[in-house]
């Protein structure tokens, strides 16, 4: 019996973008494991992805198109053919376009499955041709991206192995042990070699427990801490004035702003001792090289953009950009930028009539978006009812009788339960795609290992079927998967030096290929050039000033915190990444649900005692947006005033049919239309006994 080995790539929303191998025997995947030759994966996979075949061969997989036959949310379906499903969708869309215009159709997607084809190209081509509403995909990283482009001009970071050169590593609002675990061996190796590791996080995470120093900062006050560190550095003349003069704009203005943030004021804001702030600033300024490594959770606050701006300024103040083992590690996504025209063919299409912010989905479906209202929703690579803010309002919108909803997914998700048509999607083992990472600098080709199960189809195949049914004849809507990937790769390579020499054929041969980095570009910004308008680090940002925003970083507490003070019994709820799910992906897998445990709330012993809550009690977590039922875990992993509940649990698998996003705000942040999940104040009380 012959066994074939197929190279692939993990598609889930994680900076590691691991290389994988699938063993196939008689058309069935019999083993799935890490590619031992992948330079980042190095032969091991995270707890989330190791049981991937459980996901692929789950008895709960959707294998055939379904049509709703009962009330929305009732779970009553009938099987239909693909021909009938596509014809139904096209007929409804044509009627909606005739009455309201194509702007009444809203595609909704994010990163349930990443990839050049199944996400980037699919996110653009059909919707551009149709003239549908655009989606502002700002749920994850919009504020950070806006801050990076305004300050540095590009998202460039080193590979994980550069951490081995660091003498100090500040993990700021970042828990790579659960969200990007392939960085951890490099961090530990650096630590064993003498690097001082600091974790700045309100919660004592798995990462924080192994750091040399954990600073349990008050949520949303990280910008104040960064400015307070700058205050100390400037006051004690620990800044690198020569570097600032040569490579930055606005450092004197930044110094004046930092002067407002003396350690005593910052201590009152952050909850950290003033002496700790001073010691941290001195150590950071005098340890070379020192790197700040962060991720997206820290900017999911109403002040998230200015927080990120403050963090980005710190390496410049001490002259650490362009230094191996120093600087700022956030995202490598700015290297392998795809050619936008080749991806979306926007110039050949009607202009996008409007853009809807995905964080406001519930509001958009219930009246905020008008002229025309949203009359059809097409959801893929996303499960907004489980993963998006203010879920109770989303549920209200999904219940609209006049809203025609289509969901394309592997499973009958929380969102799919309110659909009119459900389409079965392929898993990563069943389709072709090309993946770039945002934690390292390699491209990986994912080859299909098995034929699609049942009648499952990929995002791209569904796009092509819908384009045909809508009567669109443009060749770029009907390319094969390989043709589409080749076309974008070739067009991008012609304009992007980081893709030099990377062809489709080479990716087929090698599986994983490193981007074309030179000795001059190996260390980000080592040449001293920053692709900003000035060519320098813009500490004072003309880009932000032109938008009427503060051109210097500053600290302002989230409005929700001001309106709901801790003194009145409110608690700050952080809903960060779980260890065993990727957002809501995998959160229906039995083995991973068992490891993650039931939906729970970590609460400090003092806060628990004040509410007569004991460990293991069922509690209600709520505010004016909604509430959910969780199990209390009394723990000093969170400080007083802070509670933690992991995101991602499916509402339909939760005790009361709701999850933590029934409480999270859909207000937008200060930059980029960013989500504000963590700027969330709640009340917590013991649940009444169930009858």
């Amino acid at each position: 019996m012959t066994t074939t080995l197929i190279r692939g790539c993990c598609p889930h929303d994680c900076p590691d973008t691991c290389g994988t191998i699938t063993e196939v025997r008689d058309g069935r995947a019999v083993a799935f494991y890490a590619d031992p030759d992948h330079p980042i994966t190095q032969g091991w996979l995270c707890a989330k992805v190791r049981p991937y075949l459980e996901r692929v061969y789950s008895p709960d997989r959707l294998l055939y198109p379904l049509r709703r036959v009962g009330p929305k949310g009732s779970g009553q379906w009938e099987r239909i053919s693909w021909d009938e499903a596509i014809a139904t969708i096209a007929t409804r869309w044509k009627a909606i376009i005739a009455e309201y215009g194509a702007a009444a159709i809203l595609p909704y997607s994010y990163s349930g499955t990443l990839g050049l084809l199944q996400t980037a190209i699919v996110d653009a081509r059909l919707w551009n041709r149709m003239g549908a509403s655009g989606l502002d995909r700002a749920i994850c990283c919009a504020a950070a991206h806006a801050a990076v482009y305004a300050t540095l001009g590009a998202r460039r970071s080193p590979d994980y192995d550069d951490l081995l050169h660091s003498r100090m590593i500040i993990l700021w609002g970042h828990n790579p042990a659960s969200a990007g675990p392939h960085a951890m061996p490099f961090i530990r190796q650096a630590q064993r070699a003498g690097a001082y590791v600091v974790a700045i996080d309100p919660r004592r995470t798995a990462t924080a427990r192994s750091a040399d120093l954990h600073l349990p900062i008050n949520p949303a006050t990280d910008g104040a801490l960064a400015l307070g560190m700058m205050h100390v550095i400037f006051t004690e003349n620990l800044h690198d004035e020569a570097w600032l003069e040569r490579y930055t704009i606005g450092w004197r203005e930044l110094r004046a702003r930092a002067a407002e943030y003396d350690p005593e004021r910052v201590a009152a804001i952050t909850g950290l001792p003033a002496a700790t702030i001073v010691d941290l600033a001195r150590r950071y300024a005098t340890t070379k090289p020192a790197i700040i490594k962060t991720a997206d959770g820290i900017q999911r606050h109403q002040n998230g953009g200015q927080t990120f701006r403050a963090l980005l300024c710190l390496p410049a103040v001490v002259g650490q950009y362009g230094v191996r083992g120093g600087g700022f590690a956030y995202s490598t996504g700015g290297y392998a930028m795809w050619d936008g025209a080749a991806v979306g063919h926007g110039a050949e299409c009607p202009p996008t009539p409007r853009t809807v912010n995905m964080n406001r989905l519930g509001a958009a479906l219930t009246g905020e978006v008008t002229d025309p209202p949203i009359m059809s929703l097409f959801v893929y690579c996303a499960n907004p009812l489980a993963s998006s803010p203010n879920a109770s309002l989303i549920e209200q919108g999904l219940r609209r009788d006049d809203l025609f909803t289509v969901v394309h997914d592997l499973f009958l998700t929380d969102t799919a339960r309110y659909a009119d048509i459900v389409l079965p999607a392929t898993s990563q083992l069943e389709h072709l795609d090309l993946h770039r990472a945002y934690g390292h600098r390699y491209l990986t080709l994912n080859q299909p290992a098995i034929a699609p199960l049942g009648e499952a189809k990929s995002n791209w195949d569904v796009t092509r079927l819908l384009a045909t049914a809508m009567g669109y004849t443009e060749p770029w809507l009907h390319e094969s998967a390989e043709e589409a990937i080749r076309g974008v790769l070739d067009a991008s390579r012609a304009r992007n030096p980081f893709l030099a020499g990377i062809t489709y054929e080479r990716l087929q041969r090698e599986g994983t290929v490193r981007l074309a980095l030179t000795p001059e570009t190996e260390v980000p910004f080592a040449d001293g050039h920053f692709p900003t308008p000035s060519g320098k680090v813009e500490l004072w940002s003309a880009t932000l000033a032109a938008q009427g925003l503060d051109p210097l970083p500053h600290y302002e507490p989230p409005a929700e915190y001001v309106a709901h003070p801790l003194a009145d019994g409110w608690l700050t709820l952080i809903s960060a990444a779980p260890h065993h799910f990727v957002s809501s992906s995998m959160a229906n897998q039995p083995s991973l649900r068992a490891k993650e445990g039931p939906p729970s709330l970590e609460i400090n012993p003092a806060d628990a005692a004040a509410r007569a809550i004991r460990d293991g009690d069922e509690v209600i977590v709520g505010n004016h947006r909604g509430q959910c039922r969780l199990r209390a875990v009394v723990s000093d992993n969170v400080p007083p005033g802070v509670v933690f509940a992991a995101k991602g649990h499916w509402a339909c698998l939760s005790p009361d049919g709701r999850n933590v996003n029934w409480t999270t705000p859909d207000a937008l942040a200060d930059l980029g239309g960013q989500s504000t999940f963590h700027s969330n104040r709640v009340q917590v009380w013991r649940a009444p006994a169930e009858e």
Side-chain angles (χ1 to χ4, degrees), residues 312-342:
L312 287 162
C313 290
L314 269 170
V317 170
V318 295
Q320 285 288 285
Y321 281 116
V323 175
R324 188 179 294 276
F328 197 86
Y330 164 58
S331 170
T332 62
Y335 288 101
M337 298 292 286
W338 307 124
D339 182 271

Side-chain angles (χ1 to χ4, degrees), residues 601-630:
L601 182 83
E602 289 185 9
I603 184 169
N604 184 270
D607 291 325
R611 293 160 177 79
I613 293 170
R614 296 170 299 182
D615 189 73
D617 281 350
E618 297 292 311
V619 296
I620 304 297
V621 181
N623 54 27
H624 63 283
R625 288 176 289 270
Q627 63 184 42
C628 65
R629 190 180 185 107
L630 302 172

Side-chain angles (χ1 to χ4, degrees), residues 172-415:
W172 206 319
H174 184 23
N175 179 22
S178 294
H182 285 81
M184 290 304 294
F186 297 99
I187 293 169
R188 291 291 163 261
Q189 186 175 343
Q191 193 174 25
R192 288 193 295 270
Y196 189 75
V197 177
V198 180
I200 301 175
D201 198 304
R203 180 172 176 254
R204 188 167 62 230
T205 63
T207 300
R209 283 194 288 273
S210 58
D212 296 293
L213 175 66
H214 170 223
L215 300 181
I217 191 171
N218 289 337
T221 66
D222 304 88
L225 176 58
L227 286 161
M229 291 171 64
M230 288 183 233
H231 176 101
V232 174
I233 292 167
F234 281 125
T235 300
E236 299 187 3
N237 291 314
L238 298 174
H239 59 290
D240 190 333
E241 186 164 335
W243 199 94
L244 288 166
E245 281 287 338
R246 184 174 181 182
Y247 296 114
T248 73
I249 295 289
W251 78 266
R252 288 181 174 82
E253 292 87 342
L254 178 65
R255 180 173 61 182
R257 174 62 57 82
E260 303 170 16
Y261 291 85
D262 60 85
E264 288 72 26
R265 179 193 175 194
V266 173
I269 294 170
T270 63
L272 302 174
T276 298
I277 296 165
V278 172
D279 289 345
L280 178 65
R282 289 172 178 166
R283 183 185 285 268
Y284 176 67
T286 57
T287 304
K288 309 266 170 108
I291 193 167
I292 295 172
K293 180 169 167 50
T294 188
D296 288 313
I298 198 171
Q299 41 94 59
R300 292 177 188 154
H301 284 288
Q302 286 178 300
N303 59 12
Q306 288 292 4
T307 293
F308 225 83
R309 281 269 293 143
L311 267 60
L312 287 162
C313 290
L314 269 170
V317 170
V318 295
Q320 285 288 285
Y321 281 116
V323 175
R324 188 179 294 276
F328 197 86
Y330 164 58
S331 170
T332 62
Y335 288 101
M337 298 292 286
W338 307 124
D339 182 271
V343 168
H345 291 266
E348 304 167 56
C349 301
T352 301
R354 66 183 177 197
T355 301
V356 177
N357 188 299
M358 69 187 306
N359 298 307
R360 301 286 298 170
L361 178 62
L365 294 177
T366 56
E368 181 175 85
V369 173
T370 59
D371 195 27
I374 296 170
M375 300 304 297
S376 180
L377 186 68
F378 189 95
V379 180
Y380 58 99
C381 291
N383 181 11
L385 193 53
S387 298
S388 296
N390 202 355
S392 60
L393 196 59
I394 296 174
E395 183 184 47
Q396 181 182 330
L398 291 173
R399 288 185 181 276
R400 279 175 41 198
D401 288 333
D402 63 343
L403 178 71
F404 178 62
T405 300
V406 181
V407 174
H408 183 210
D409 208 295
L410 281 77
F411 299 97
L412 198 63
T413 63
D414 290 331
T415 308

Side-chain angles (χ1 to χ4, degrees), residues 652-668:
C652 67
L653 299 175
S654 298
D656 57 353
R658 305 185 187 108
N659 71 9
V660 69
N661 280 330
W662 260 250
T663 73
T664 50
D666 55 5
L668 303 181

